[in-house]
Amino acid sequence: MSAATSDPTRATPTGPAIYLDADACPVKDETYRVAARYGLTVHVVANSVLNLPREPWIERVVVGSELDAADDWIAARAGPGSIVLTADVPLAARCVKAGATVLAFTGKPFSESGIGLALATRDLMQSLREAGTITGGPKPFSRADRSAFLSALDRAVNRILRDRPKPG
């Protein structure tokens, strides 16, 4: 489990906490780059130990191997002013409901208005795969996806910083 003692809902007094659903995440390095630029904490959540940079602002969180253990850890901490990075649509739905800013690894934002459709599409595709109708997986992750993710994460951080109440 995590050894951090900081408030899990805030990275710093001036910036959002980032929760990274790290198993099979293709944008870890990009996330670290943006977090370093803004001085934010990244909670890297996974079911196994991952090789991470040794930085004080990167928190390794190893959860149990139980189904949805990483999702449960992230969802319990996500809320207004935090950013969740995931490709898991049910986790995205939980975090959007909690008020977090949620981005897919391609930079696509999950929103209250679109999460129902995303869940329905996920369920339909899963049913088609189980029936043997669809045999291919997702399209390969591209440079354009990586670039879109970087831009979306930068915009999300700036939006949260801009909208945060000013002290005093």
Side-chain angles (χ1 to χ4, degrees):
M1 287 294 166
S2 166
T5 58
S6 62
D7 177 355
T9 61
R10 288 193 182 228
T12 67
T14 60
I18 297 175
Y19 298 100
L20 177 60
D21 186 7
D23 291 319
C25 171
V27 290
K28 290 181 195 82
D29 290 338
E30 290 77 8
T31 301
Y32 304 149
R33 229 180 350 193
V34 172
R37 183 179 321 136
Y38 292 100
L40 307 178
T41 298
V42 179
H43 305 274
V44 181
V45 186
N47 294 105
S48 61
V49 175
L50 300 175
N51 188 18
L52 303 177
R54 293 181 189 263
E55 298 289 348
W57 45 269
I58 297 176
E59 177 190 1
R60 177 189 325 256
V61 181
V62 179
V63 296
S65 60
E66 301 85 25
L67 187 64
D68 296 330
D71 296 359
D72 292 344
W73 193 95
I74 293 169
R77 289 156 180 83
S82 64
I83 298 172
V84 175
L85 308 174
T86 186
D88 184 300
V89 177
L91 172 59
R94 292 169 68 185
C95 296
V96 165
K97 184 176 180 182
T101 297
V102 185
L103 298 174
F105 300 142
T106 58
K108 176 184 171 279
F110 290 99
S111 65
E112 282 190 44
S113 62
I115 199 67
L117 179 60
L119 282 167
T121 300
R122 175 201 174 268
D123 292 344
L124 173 63
M125 297 304 285
Q126 184 175 348
S127 294
L128 291 172
R129 279 190 298 275
E130 288 170 358
T133 305
I134 297 178
T135 57
K139 67 178 181 140
F141 197 75
S142 70
R143 290 177 69 143
D145 292 331
R146 197 171 304 282
S147 178
F149 172 80
L150 272 168
S151 294
L153 181 55
D154 196 73
R155 282 191 309 273
V157 170
N158 277 296
R159 185 173 48 256
I160 290 170
L161 292 174
R162 182 185 64 239
D163 295 346
R164 180 163 284 168
K166 305 294 183 253

Short mmCIF file of all heavy atoms in Angstrom, two decimals, residues 52-90:
data_model
loop_
_atom_site.label_atom_id
_atom_site.label_comp_id
_atom_site.label_asym_id
_atom_site.label_seq_id
_atom_site.Cartn_x
_atom_site.Cartn_y
_atom_site.Cartn_z
N LEU A 52 9.23 3.10 -11.58
CA LEU A 52 8.89 4.52 -11.65
C LEU A 52 10.11 5.38 -11.42
O LEU A 52 11.04 4.97 -10.72
CB LEU A 52 7.85 4.88 -10.59
CG LEU A 52 6.55 4.10 -10.58
CD1 LEU A 52 5.69 4.55 -9.41
CD2 LEU A 52 5.82 4.27 -11.89
N PRO A 53 10.09 6.60 -11.94
CA PRO A 53 11.17 7.54 -11.60
C PRO A 53 11.17 7.79 -10.09
O PRO A 53 10.12 7.78 -9.46
CB PRO A 53 10.78 8.81 -12.36
CG PRO A 53 9.83 8.37 -13.41
CD PRO A 53 9.12 7.16 -12.87
N ARG A 54 12.32 8.01 -9.54
CA ARG A 54 12.42 8.29 -8.10
C ARG A 54 12.32 9.79 -7.88
O ARG A 54 13.32 10.49 -7.84
CB ARG A 54 13.73 7.75 -7.55
CG ARG A 54 13.80 6.24 -7.59
CD ARG A 54 15.12 5.76 -7.00
NE ARG A 54 15.28 4.35 -7.22
CZ ARG A 54 14.98 3.42 -6.31
NH1 ARG A 54 14.50 3.78 -5.15
NH2 ARG A 54 15.16 2.15 -6.59
N GLU A 55 11.10 10.24 -7.78
CA GLU A 55 10.82 11.66 -7.54
C GLU A 55 9.89 11.75 -6.34
O GLU A 55 8.99 10.92 -6.19
CB GLU A 55 10.13 12.29 -8.76
CG GLU A 55 10.94 12.29 -10.03
CD GLU A 55 12.12 13.25 -9.99
OE1 GLU A 55 12.19 14.09 -9.07
OE2 GLU A 55 12.97 13.16 -10.88
N PRO A 56 10.07 12.74 -5.50
CA PRO A 56 9.21 12.84 -4.30
C PRO A 56 7.75 13.11 -4.63
O PRO A 56 6.88 12.84 -3.82
CB PRO A 56 9.84 14.01 -3.52
CG PRO A 56 10.62 14.77 -4.52
CD PRO A 56 11.07 13.80 -5.56
N TRP A 57 7.47 13.61 -5.81
CA TRP A 57 6.09 13.94 -6.19
C TRP A 57 5.41 12.80 -6.95
O TRP A 57 4.25 12.95 -7.35
CB TRP A 57 6.06 15.24 -7.01
CG TRP A 57 7.11 15.31 -8.08
CD1 TRP A 57 8.36 15.83 -7.96
CD2 TRP A 57 7.01 14.82 -9.41
NE1 TRP A 57 9.04 15.69 -9.15
CE2 TRP A 57 8.24 15.07 -10.06
CE3 TRP A 57 5.99 14.19 -10.13
CZ2 TRP A 57 8.47 14.73 -11.38
CZ3 TRP A 57 6.23 13.85 -11.44
CH2 TRP A 57 7.47 14.12 -12.06
N ILE A 58 6.09 11.68 -7.11
CA ILE A 58 5.47 10.49 -7.71
C ILE A 58 5.26 9.48 -6.60
O ILE A 58 6.22 9.00 -5.99
CB ILE A 58 6.34 9.89 -8.83
CG1 ILE A 58 6.50 10.88 -9.97
CG2 ILE A 58 5.71 8.58 -9.35
CD1 ILE A 58 7.41 10.40 -11.09
N GLU A 59 4.00 9.19 -6.32
CA GLU A 59 3.65 8.25 -5.25
C GLU A 59 3.24 6.91 -5.87
O GLU A 59 2.29 6.85 -6.65
CB GLU A 59 2.50 8.79 -4.41
CG GLU A 59 2.07 7.81 -3.35
CD GLU A 59 0.78 8.18 -2.65
OE1 GLU A 59 0.18 9.22 -2.99
OE2 GLU A 59 0.36 7.41 -1.78
N ARG A 60 3.95 5.87 -5.51
CA ARG A 60 3.62 4.52 -5.97
C ARG A 60 2.54 3.96 -5.04
O ARG A 60 2.72 3.93 -3.82
CB ARG A 60 4.85 3.64 -5.90
CG ARG A 60 4.62 2.19 -6.29
CD ARG A 60 5.83 1.31 -5.99
NE ARG A 60 7.08 1.99 -6.18
CZ ARG A 60 7.89 1.80 -7.23
NH1 ARG A 60 7.58 0.94 -8.14
NH2 ARG A 60 9.02 2.47 -7.32
N VAL A 61 1.44 3.50 -5.63
CA VAL A 61 0.37 2.88 -4.86
C VAL A 61 0.15 1.50 -5.45
O VAL A 61 -0.34 1.37 -6.58
CB VAL A 61 -0.94 3.71 -4.92
CG1 VAL A 61 -2.02 3.03 -4.09
CG2 VAL A 61 -0.71 5.14 -4.45
N VAL A 62 0.52 0.47 -4.71
CA VAL A 62 0.31 -0.90 -5.14
C VAL A 62 -0.88 -1.44 -4.36
O VAL A 62 -0.84 -1.51 -3.13
CB VAL A 62 1.56 -1.78 -4.92
CG1 VAL A 62 1.29 -3.21 -5.37
CG2 VAL A 62 2.75 -1.19 -5.65
N VAL A 63 -1.93 -1.78 -5.09
CA VAL A 63 -3.13 -2.31 -4.46
C VAL A 63 -3.12 -3.82 -4.61
O VAL A 63 -2.31 -4.39 -5.33
CB VAL A 63 -4.40 -1.70 -5.10
CG1 VAL A 63 -4.45 -0.20 -4.85
CG2 VAL A 63 -4.47 -2.00 -6.58
N GLY A 64 -4.04 -4.49 -3.97
CA GLY A 64 -4.13 -5.94 -4.07
C GLY A 64 -4.51 -6.39 -5.46
O GLY A 64 -4.83 -5.58 -6.34
N SER A 65 -4.50 -7.68 -5.67
CA SER A 65 -4.81 -8.23 -6.98
C SER A 65 -6.31 -8.46 -7.17
O SER A 65 -6.73 -8.98 -8.21
CB SER A 65 -4.05 -9.55 -7.18
OG SER A 65 -4.43 -10.47 -6.17
N GLU A 66 -7.11 -8.08 -6.20
CA GLU A 66 -8.55 -8.24 -6.32
C GLU A 66 -9.07 -7.45 -7.51
O GLU A 66 -8.54 -6.40 -7.86
CB GLU A 66 -9.29 -7.75 -5.06
CG GLU A 66 -8.89 -8.43 -3.78
CD GLU A 66 -7.65 -7.79 -3.15
OE1 GLU A 66 -7.37 -6.61 -3.40
OE2 GLU A 66 -6.94 -8.51 -2.43
N LEU A 67 -10.13 -7.96 -8.12
CA LEU A 67 -10.76 -7.28 -9.25
C LEU A 67 -11.17 -5.88 -8.82
O LEU A 67 -11.77 -5.70 -7.77
CB LEU A 67 -11.97 -8.07 -9.73
CG LEU A 67 -12.65 -7.58 -10.99
CD1 LEU A 67 -11.69 -7.70 -12.18
CD2 LEU A 67 -13.90 -8.38 -11.26
N ASP A 68 -10.81 -4.88 -9.60
CA ASP A 68 -11.17 -3.48 -9.37
C ASP A 68 -10.51 -2.83 -8.15
O ASP A 68 -10.95 -1.77 -7.71
CB ASP A 68 -12.69 -3.30 -9.29
CG ASP A 68 -13.38 -3.63 -10.59
OD1 ASP A 68 -12.77 -3.46 -11.66
OD2 ASP A 68 -14.55 -4.07 -10.54
N ALA A 69 -9.46 -3.43 -7.61
CA ALA A 69 -8.80 -2.84 -6.43
C ALA A 69 -8.22 -1.46 -6.76
O ALA A 69 -8.37 -0.51 -5.98
CB ALA A 69 -7.71 -3.76 -5.90
N ALA A 70 -7.58 -1.33 -7.92
CA ALA A 70 -7.02 -0.03 -8.31
C ALA A 70 -8.14 0.98 -8.55
O ALA A 70 -8.05 2.14 -8.12
CB ALA A 70 -6.15 -0.18 -9.56
N ASP A 71 -9.20 0.53 -9.22
CA ASP A 71 -10.33 1.42 -9.48
C ASP A 71 -10.94 1.92 -8.17
O ASP A 71 -11.26 3.10 -8.03
CB ASP A 71 -11.41 0.69 -10.28
CG ASP A 71 -10.94 0.28 -11.66
OD1 ASP A 71 -9.78 0.56 -12.02
OD2 ASP A 71 -11.75 -0.34 -12.38
N ASP A 72 -11.12 1.01 -7.21
CA ASP A 72 -11.71 1.38 -5.93
C ASP A 72 -10.84 2.39 -5.20
O ASP A 72 -11.34 3.36 -4.60
CB ASP A 72 -11.93 0.15 -5.06
CG ASP A 72 -13.01 -0.77 -5.61
OD1 ASP A 72 -13.80 -0.35 -6.48
OD2 ASP A 72 -13.04 -1.95 -5.18
N TRP A 73 -9.51 2.20 -5.24
CA TRP A 73 -8.60 3.12 -4.56
C TRP A 73 -8.71 4.52 -5.17
O TRP A 73 -8.79 5.52 -4.46
CB TRP A 73 -7.15 2.61 -4.65
CG TRP A 73 -6.21 3.31 -3.73
CD1 TRP A 73 -5.83 2.91 -2.49
CD2 TRP A 73 -5.53 4.55 -3.97
NE1 TRP A 73 -4.95 3.84 -1.94
CE2 TRP A 73 -4.76 4.84 -2.83
CE3 TRP A 73 -5.50 5.45 -5.03
CZ2 TRP A 73 -3.96 5.99 -2.72
CZ3 TRP A 73 -4.72 6.59 -4.92
CH2 TRP A 73 -3.96 6.85 -3.78
N ILE A 74 -8.70 4.58 -6.49
CA ILE A 74 -8.78 5.87 -7.18
C ILE A 74 -10.13 6.53 -6.93
O ILE A 74 -10.21 7.71 -6.57
CB ILE A 74 -8.51 5.71 -8.69
CG1 ILE A 74 -7.05 5.29 -8.92
CG2 ILE A 74 -8.85 6.99 -9.45
CD1 ILE A 74 -6.75 4.84 -10.34
N ALA A 75 -11.20 5.77 -7.11
CA ALA A 75 -12.56 6.33 -6.97
C ALA A 75 -12.81 6.87 -5.56
O ALA A 75 -13.53 7.85 -5.39
CB ALA A 75 -13.60 5.30 -7.35
N ALA A 76 -12.21 6.25 -4.56
CA ALA A 76 -12.39 6.70 -3.18
C ALA A 76 -11.74 8.05 -2.91
O ALA A 76 -12.10 8.74 -1.97
CB ALA A 76 -11.83 5.65 -2.21
N ARG A 77 -10.79 8.45 -3.77
CA ARG A 77 -10.04 9.68 -3.55
C ARG A 77 -10.35 10.78 -4.56
O ARG A 77 -10.05 11.94 -4.33
CB ARG A 77 -8.55 9.37 -3.55
CG ARG A 77 -8.15 8.59 -2.31
CD ARG A 77 -6.90 7.77 -2.49
NE ARG A 77 -6.57 7.05 -1.26
CZ ARG A 77 -7.12 5.89 -0.91
NH1 ARG A 77 -8.00 5.30 -1.67
NH2 ARG A 77 -6.78 5.32 0.23
N ALA A 78 -10.89 10.40 -5.70
CA ALA A 78 -11.17 11.37 -6.76
C ALA A 78 -12.32 12.28 -6.37
O ALA A 78 -13.28 11.85 -5.74
CB ALA A 78 -11.49 10.64 -8.06
N GLY A 79 -12.21 13.53 -6.78
CA GLY A 79 -13.28 14.47 -6.50
C GLY A 79 -12.99 15.79 -7.17
O GLY A 79 -12.04 15.91 -7.97
N PRO A 80 -13.76 16.81 -6.86
CA PRO A 80 -13.54 18.12 -7.47
C PRO A 80 -12.10 18.59 -7.23
O PRO A 80 -11.56 18.43 -6.14
CB PRO A 80 -14.54 19.03 -6.74
CG PRO A 80 -15.60 18.09 -6.26
CD PRO A 80 -14.90 16.81 -5.94
N GLY A 81 -11.48 19.09 -8.27
CA GLY A 81 -10.12 19.58 -8.16
C GLY A 81 -9.06 18.52 -8.38
O GLY A 81 -7.88 18.82 -8.30
N SER A 82 -9.46 17.28 -8.67
CA SER A 82 -8.47 16.24 -8.96
C SER A 82 -8.63 15.79 -10.41
O SER A 82 -9.66 16.02 -11.04
CB SER A 82 -8.62 15.05 -8.01
OG SER A 82 -9.87 14.40 -8.19
N ILE A 83 -7.58 15.15 -10.92
CA ILE A 83 -7.57 14.67 -12.29
C ILE A 83 -7.34 13.16 -12.26
O ILE A 83 -6.41 12.69 -11.60
CB ILE A 83 -6.46 15.34 -13.12
CG1 ILE A 83 -6.70 16.86 -13.20
CG2 ILE A 83 -6.37 14.73 -14.51
CD1 ILE A 83 -5.57 17.64 -13.84
N VAL A 84 -8.18 12.42 -12.98
CA VAL A 84 -8.05 10.97 -13.09
C VAL A 84 -7.73 10.64 -14.54
O VAL A 84 -8.40 11.13 -15.45
CB VAL A 84 -9.34 10.25 -12.64
CG1 VAL A 84 -9.23 8.74 -12.88
CG2 VAL A 84 -9.64 10.56 -11.18
N LEU A 85 -6.71 9.82 -14.73
CA LEU A 85 -6.29 9.40 -16.06
C LEU A 85 -6.53 7.90 -16.17
O LEU A 85 -5.92 7.12 -15.41
CB LEU A 85 -4.81 9.73 -16.28
CG LEU A 85 -4.43 11.17 -15.98
CD1 LEU A 85 -2.93 11.36 -16.09
CD2 LEU A 85 -5.17 12.13 -16.89
N THR A 86 -7.41 7.48 -17.09
CA THR A 86 -7.78 6.08 -17.20
C THR A 86 -8.37 5.77 -18.57
O THR A 86 -8.90 6.66 -19.23
CB THR A 86 -8.79 5.68 -16.10
OG1 THR A 86 -9.02 4.28 -16.15
CG2 THR A 86 -10.11 6.42 -16.26
N ALA A 87 -8.29 4.50 -18.94
CA ALA A 87 -8.99 4.02 -20.13
C ALA A 87 -10.20 3.18 -19.71
O ALA A 87 -10.95 2.70 -20.55
CB ALA A 87 -8.05 3.17 -20.98
N ASP A 88 -10.40 3.03 -18.42
CA ASP A 88 -11.46 2.19 -17.86
C ASP A 88 -12.75 3.02 -17.75
O ASP A 88 -12.84 3.91 -16.91
CB ASP A 88 -11.00 1.69 -16.49
CG ASP A 88 -11.97 0.73 -15.86
OD1 ASP A 88 -13.13 1.12 -15.61
OD2 ASP A 88 -11.56 -0.41 -15.58
N VAL A 89 -13.73 2.71 -18.58
CA VAL A 89 -14.95 3.52 -18.64
C VAL A 89 -15.75 3.45 -17.33
O VAL A 89 -16.22 4.49 -16.85
CB VAL A 89 -15.81 3.15 -19.87
CG1 VAL A 89 -17.11 3.93 -19.89
CG2 VAL A 89 -15.02 3.39 -21.15
N PRO A 90 -15.94 2.27 -16.71
CA PRO A 90 -16.66 2.28 -15.43
C PRO A 90 -15.94 3.11 -14.35
O PRO A 90 -16.60 3.81 -13.58
CB PRO A 90 -16.72 0.79 -15.05
CG PRO A 90 -16.68 0.08 -16.36
CD PRO A 90 -15.73 0.89 -17.19
#
